[in-house]
Amino acid sequence: LSSVPLQMLFYVNGIYYIFYFLATLAMIVYKSQVFSYPDDFLAPDLALLFIMAILEVLRLYLGSKGNLTEEEAPLGLSLAITVGSMILSVYFLVWQTYVLQADVIINAVLLFTYGLESVLKVIAIAAFVS
Amino acid sequence: PPEIRAATRARTRSGPAPVTDVAKLCVCDLLVAQCDVNCCCDPDCNAADFSLFTTCSVPIVTGDSRLCSQKAAIYSLDVEANPPERIFKLIDQVNPSVFCIHATNYKQALSFSSPEMPTSENFDQLLKRFSSATFSAEPDSWNMNTDAQNPSDANETYRYEYGVPIQTADAFLRLPSPVVSSWCSDANPAGFLVNQATKCTRSVSVENCGNIQAVSMLFYINSSILAVNITVQSIVVQSLNGMRTLLNGSDVLRLPMILDELCINIVLGVSYHITYTGAGEIIEAAASFVLGAINKEALSIQQSFEISFTQVNTKPVPLSGNPGYVVGLPIRAGFRPQGYPFPIEIFFVALNTNKYSQLTILQSTSNQDCLAAQGARTPILFGYNMISGCKLRITAAMKCKPLTQTLLDLLKGQSFPEYVASFGNSQSQDVLDWVPITHLHTSEQRIYNTFQSSCHIPVSLEIEVKWTKYGSLVNPQARIVNVTASITTTILKQLPSRRERTIPITSSVVFTDISSPAEPGYKAWPTINAKLPFDFFFPFV
């Protein structure tokens, strides 16, 4: 049986991620105007943000599909991608060029969401496998 | 080799490490090892000094306020206590904004970057990066690497600049001049466009008159100024008693020789005249000689040397300043030839090339009698106010009109000019550089009745020259703006016969400085220029 909490979490995650993406992009624009943000520090930050967006879309699609069709393969793939997304989130939390307080807050929330999702996915996979 | 490069990099000095501890930073600590007044963070102050302060000029020292949490040092004076004491607190300041910087991974984000220290390796590259237009210390012709160099410069005529020694085939054109003592030294080179006149003493005797090179004409015309030979313009022979005669043929070289126990054809004076073009080339050189003779008793002679430069196709006009008038040099003045107003070329004829007789006033003589003055005039020198005069003895027999004319001639001189040069170097072709002389007539007595039959004779001429300072504040140039010549007349009453009257006649020159005070000029306020870079949203826009 599909996990309803997991599906709800995917839905909330999707909405939250849109907000997160726009907020981070806006803050990078703000930082580049107010602080001294040379190009060779700006480029990796922007690139990673877009990569994270692509990974997120992929991850949510695969996870949602796996959960609804009760297959563990897409769900497992989604879990793997979640690890990547987590690393990227940690990057934005700790290793970004400028880490603002707002960055800390939204990344913390994102990490918490990922953590919760991972736990639910593992439970779902365990449920589907058996 | 890489080892030396690495060693050099290690040797490279960098600037002093920046101080970032807020407890140690003190902006108002300006005096070294002394207590600055009202500077609470100054480490050189002790408690006694603090008790004399009134306020703290620097109340708080913080790091970048955009950081979320930072240290701050707060200094304040506790005036309640007796004696007042300074309170120092080190606290953590928190920035409540949600956009405060939590951390940065970019080292130079919050401080100014230390500039790269120039070393001999990176100097050229730094110079290229940071320098703007400069004057080069070496003239381009010394740099062999430039492509636009013309290597056949050696055969072209040389171009001279002001003051550069004039080159001859072997060395420089020399103008002997006295050095330290009055004995001649042959090592003084003549500078281009530097008019010089020197006098010096040379020791000669009749016995070796043929051996001393410097008294022979050949010495002075032997060297050629590169492509130009020095021609002999004229020879004047001065006899033993000082009488000078101009020789007719001047192409004969007269060398010193002994004749009747005298040594003749000794060079007593040389005058070089160099003609140059506007581009700085010398195209002609001529020398005029004064040859003399010495007898057995003479041990030394005085030689005088002169060099003058004339531009080709111009008549030499002596300048009274370049460009502003120099105090003490005569005022340049002239006439405008008659003709239709604004003819194609208006030339102001300077009275004559004698610069001292262009604008003159009456010169007082010892006998003070105007009619016996014999036309002695003195030139008007810039900046020198002068007054002169004489006494006129009027007898009954004098008629009005001739007397008026005589006095006018006396006051104004034979040819009183119409225009005065506004700068010391005004050329006669530049019409706007010449200022017309305004004439005013005033009468000493107020004329109540306009009887034409009364005789008005001029008794005083006052020339007022208004000048202003022109140009930069550091080096102002004097420029004449206005010249007014006022003639004051008085009524001459008919004298009874055999009576005489003496009236004073005066003429004066006054120089008035009408320069307006300098005004300061300030730069415009800087404007803030904040825009997104043009291609910031590159993939999307």
Side-chain angles (χ1 to χ4, degrees):
Chain A
L1 220 48
S2 314
S3 166
V4 174
L6 185 59
Q7 199 60 27
M8 276 166 43
L9 203 53
F10 280 146
Y11 184 71
V12 169
N13 194 357
I15 295 176
Y16 179 71
Y17 190 77
I18 293 172
F19 162 73
Y20 170 89
F21 177 79
L22 291 173
T24 308
L25 190 62
M27 277 197 286
I28 288 183
V29 170
Y30 166 77
K31 283 179 233 173
S32 75
Q33 295 304 298
V34 172
F35 305 129
S36 136
Y37 212 151
D39 284 343
D40 42 357
F41 286 87
L42 183 61
D45 286 352
L46 278 178
L48 288 174
L49 185 63
F50 284 103
I51 290 174
M52 195 180 175
I54 294 169
L55 282 183
E56 189 73 14
V57 168
L58 210 59
R59 190 183 70 103
L60 287 175
Y61 171 73
L62 284 173
S64 188
K65 176 163 162 239
N67 190 23
L68 291 175
T69 57
E70 294 177 24
E71 284 174 31
E72 58 278 355
L75 216 48
L77 203 54
S78 175
L79 192 60
I81 298 179
T82 304
V83 175
S85 283
M86 269 189 170
I87 293 174
L88 281 176
S89 181
V90 168
Y91 171 85
F92 281 108
L93 181 65
V94 175
W95 297 315
Q96 225 190 139
T97 309
Y98 290 95
V99 181
L100 303 184
Q101 192 77 350
D103 275 321
V104 171
I105 294 169
I106 57 178
N107 277 292
V109 171
L110 196 64
L111 273 176
F112 173 74
T113 313
Y114 286 167
L116 205 55
E117 257 179 32
S118 308
V119 169
L120 288 177
K121 274 189 208 156
V122 167
I123 295 174
I125 290 175
F128 296 151
V129 164
S130 61
Chain B
E3 312 86 25
I4 299 185
R5 236 179 279 136
T8 325
R9 237 178 279 129
R11 249 196 345 250
T12 307
R13 294 168 299 130
S14 50
V19 176
T20 49
D21 184 3
V22 287
K24 300 215 183 58
L25 275 172
C26 196
V27 183
C28 55
D29 180 14
L30 301 170
L31 299 169
V32 173
Q34 272 184 56
C35 185
D36 291 87
V37 180
N38 276 344
C39 185
C40 296
C41 53
D42 195 344
D44 309 311
C45 297
N46 51 29
D49 295 320
F50 285 133
S51 64
L52 298 170
F53 288 172
T54 49
T55 72
C56 280
S57 58
V58 173
I60 186 167
V61 182
T62 65
D64 193 339
S65 59
R66 290 183 295 208
L67 290 173
C68 286
S69 133
Q70 49 180 312
K71 282 214 168 318
I74 301 190
Y75 301 92
S76 60
L77 272 183
D78 181 14
V79 288
E80 304 290 317
N82 185 15
E85 51 185 36
R86 169 198 83 160
I87 305 176
F88 167 63
K89 278 197 292 233
L90 201 60
I91 60 166
D92 278 324
Q93 224 184 25
V94 171
N95 185 347
S97 157
V98 78
F99 294 115
C100 65
I101 300 178
H102 184 82
T104 66
N105 290 309
Y106 171 41
K107 194 79 192 312
Q108 300 100 306
L110 302 171
S111 60
F112 293 112
S113 59
S114 305
E116 204 175 316
M117 277 290 182
T119 61
S120 45
E121 277 88 43
N122 61 7
F123 186 79
D124 292 317
Q125 171 229 87
L126 281 178
L127 188 68
K128 225 184 316 193
R129 231 167 89 194
F130 293 113
S131 73
S132 54
T134 53
F135 293 114
S136 103
E138 293 175 339
D140 279 342
S141 58
W142 292 1
N143 185 359
M144 291 317 219
N145 292 333
T146 52
D147 295 333
Q149 267 313 300
N150 187 0
S152 65
D153 264 348
N155 284 339
E156 285 180 10
T157 48
Y158 280 74
R159 282 163 173 62
Y160 286 96
E161 291 164 15
Y162 179 84
V164 169
I166 298 177
Q167 283 194 310
T168 59
D170 47 353
F172 297 111
L173 185 67
R174 293 178 202 287
L175 213 64
S177 66
V179 177
V180 183
S181 64
S182 64
W183 294 105
C184 286
S185 146
D186 289 327
N188 177 35
F192 185 66
L193 288 189
V194 178
N195 293 333
Q196 281 182 318
T198 57
K199 281 198 175 68
C200 59
T201 323
R202 212 177 280 275
S203 75
V204 287
S205 65
V206 176
E207 287 82 33
N208 55 0
C209 90
N211 300 336
I212 306 176
Q213 273 206 321
V215 296
S216 133
M217 261 177 79
L218 204 57
F219 179 69
Y220 297 101
I221 59 174
N222 200 7
S223 51
S224 61
I225 300 181
L226 291 169
V228 174
N229 282 331
I230 304 183
T231 56
V232 177
Q233 198 175 28
S234 66
I235 301 183
V236 166
V237 173
Q238 177 171 320
S239 65
L240 269 179
N241 58 0
M243 198 162 72
R244 291 187 174 189
T245 31
L246 179 65
L247 285 191
N248 269 339
S250 60
D251 46 354
V252 172
L253 200 64
R254 298 169 84 94
L255 295 174
M257 51 193 211
I258 301 186
L259 190 69
D260 295 338
E261 294 179 355
L262 292 177
C263 186
I264 64 169
N265 292 338
I266 295 205
V267 171
L268 291 181
V270 186
S271 175
Y272 288 105
H273 299 279
I274 314 271
T275 310
Y276 65 98
T277 67
E281 298 163 357
I282 294 184
I283 54 175
E284 229 185 284
S288 309
F289 288 92
V290 174
L291 299 179
I294 55 167
N295 55 14
K296 277 201 309 243
E297 287 91 29
L299 289 176
S300 64
I301 52 166
Q302 192 182 48
Q303 293 183 312
S304 64
F305 300 94
E306 205 192 325
I307 186 166
S308 66
F309 291 87
T310 316
Q311 195 167 359
V312 69
N313 292 338
T314 62
K315 248 166 67 139
V317 172
L319 301 179
S320 291
N322 193 15
Y325 272 100
V326 171
V327 168
L329 290 185
I331 304 238
R332 295 181 51 223
F335 298 94
R336 188 156 95 174
Q338 298 299 320
Y340 178 75
F342 312 113
I344 313 265
E345 286 163 350
I346 305 174
F347 288 98
F348 292 84
V349 177
L351 269 160
N352 44 26
T353 51
N354 180 1
K355 61 181 181 173
Y356 285 101
S357 62
Q358 294 180 3
L359 189 63
T360 57
I361 61 169
L362 174 74
Q363 184 171 31
S364 308
T365 53
S366 52
N367 60 1
Q368 289 195 2
D369 187 354
C370 290
L371 299 174
Q374 288 174 341
R377 302 198 64 83
T378 178
I380 295 182
L381 306 175
F382 184 80
Y384 288 172
N385 297 339
M386 298 199 261
I387 184 168
S388 62
C390 56
K391 286 197 179 18
L392 177 68
R393 231 182 25 204
I394 306 180
T395 59
M398 283 183 184
K399 301 264 190 298
C400 184
K401 272 236 173 332
L403 187 63
T404 311
Q405 194 52 49
T406 313
L407 283 177
L408 265 180
D409 281 342
L410 199 64
L411 285 172
K412 283 189 165 179
Q414 282 310 309
S415 37
F416 193 71
E418 298 166 5
Y419 286 85
V420 167
S422 111
F423 284 108
N425 67 349
S426 299
Q427 299 297 316
S428 44
Q429 308 90 287
D430 302 325
V431 182
L432 298 173
D433 270 350
W434 294 76
V435 169
I437 297 184
T438 321
H439 288 88
L440 286 182
H441 285 109
T442 53
S443 176
E444 247 179 30
Q445 300 104 346
R446 259 178 259 148
I447 305 177
Y448 286 118
N449 47 356
T450 53
F451 272 147
Q452 289 303 323
S453 58
S454 49
C455 179
H456 295 270
I457 54 165
V459 286
S460 95
L461 167 69
E462 179 179 319
I463 300 180
E464 186 179 359
V465 180
K466 295 201 176 88
W467 62 279
T468 171
K469 293 201 192 87
Y470 186 81
S472 75
L473 258 184
V474 182
N475 186 13
Q477 303 296 311
R479 175 190 185 172
I480 292 186
V481 178
N482 191 345
V483 177
T484 312
S486 331
I487 297 215
T488 312
T489 58
T490 187
I491 297 183
L492 180 67
K493 289 203 266 296
Q494 189 61 25
L495 286 172
S497 58
R498 277 181 276 122
R499 283 288 195 102
E500 282 183 353
R501 218 179 106 194
T502 312
I503 49 173
I505 308 281
T506 54
S507 65
S508 61
V509 181
V510 168
F511 285 87
T512 323
D513 179 2
I514 58 165
S515 34
S516 47
E519 286 173 0
Y522 296 108
K523 270 172 69 165
W525 277 102
T527 54
I528 300 177
N529 188 10
K531 298 205 286 267
L532 271 183
F534 175 69
D535 53 355
F536 184 69
F537 290 105
F538 169 62
F540 304 108
V541 168

